[in-house]
Amino acid sequence: GLRLLRVNMPEHPARLTQVTCYTLASDPTICVKILNASLACCTLELQSAISNGEFVESDDESCDSQVTVLVVAGTVTDALVPSVMQLIQAHPGAKVMSFGACATSGGPYWDSPPVSKGIDQFVDVHTYVAGCPPRPEAFIQAVRELAQIGTQA
């Protein structure tokens, strides 16, 4: 029979709950807090997008009134869903971004039994960044759009 492996994670693992504030170099009025749910290979693409020079790390005080973006990057397996949901619940009001084909639809692993068919089955997703891998420019554009939505709310 099929057995699911449940991952027992600490209540608030520091690696998964670290929120980093960034301003955009091209538009310093845009300040976002980014929380990265690093699940698979899209994490490397996400880190590349963040470190390309467009995102400038800033202090928490300058981002207090801005939007928090929780990026789900990579393959979401059934075993990881509880941990991702715990992370989302720990940051109420965060805008969820589905980053890459795997987070959005299961990607090339869509027909594998333990792979979810997208994080949007479990939580409302505010924006999708398509691709395998997604382009850094697409991530930057999605952050801009979420920041604009956050300032309008």
Side-chain angles (χ1 to χ4, degrees), residues 22-40:
Y22 297 96
T23 55
L24 293 184
S26 60
D27 185 353
T29 63
I30 295 178
C31 186
V32 294
K33 293 180 180 181
I34 296 179
L35 176 63
N36 181 6
S38 307
L39 304 177

Side-chain angles (χ1 to χ4, degrees), residues 15 18-26 32-38 42-58 69-73 97 99 129 134-144:
R15 183 181 73 78
Q18 181 179 357
V19 179
T20 307
C21 292
Y22 297 96
T23 55
L24 293 184
S26 60
V32 294
K33 293 180 180 181
I34 296 179
L35 176 63
N36 181 6
S38 307
C42 271
T43 300
L44 298 174
E45 299 300 327
L46 179 61
Q47 292 304 322
S48 174
I50 289 173
S51 64
N52 76 353
E54 177 62 12
F55 291 89
V56 179
E57 200 166 329
S58 61
V69 179
L70 191 150
V71 183
V72 179
M97 176 189 293
F99 186 79
V129 180
R135 300 282 307 150
E137 298 83 5
F139 173 70
I140 293 167
Q141 183 60 34
V143 167
R144 284 180 185 278

Side-chain angles (χ1 to χ4, degrees), residues 7-18 35 82-91:
V7 177
N8 293 323
M9 295 187 64
E11 191 65 27
H12 292 289
R15 183 181 73 78
L16 288 178
T17 58
Q18 181 179 357
L35 176 63
S83 297
V84 172
M85 294 305 297
Q86 182 182 19
L87 181 61
I88 292 168
Q89 291 166 354
H91 295 84

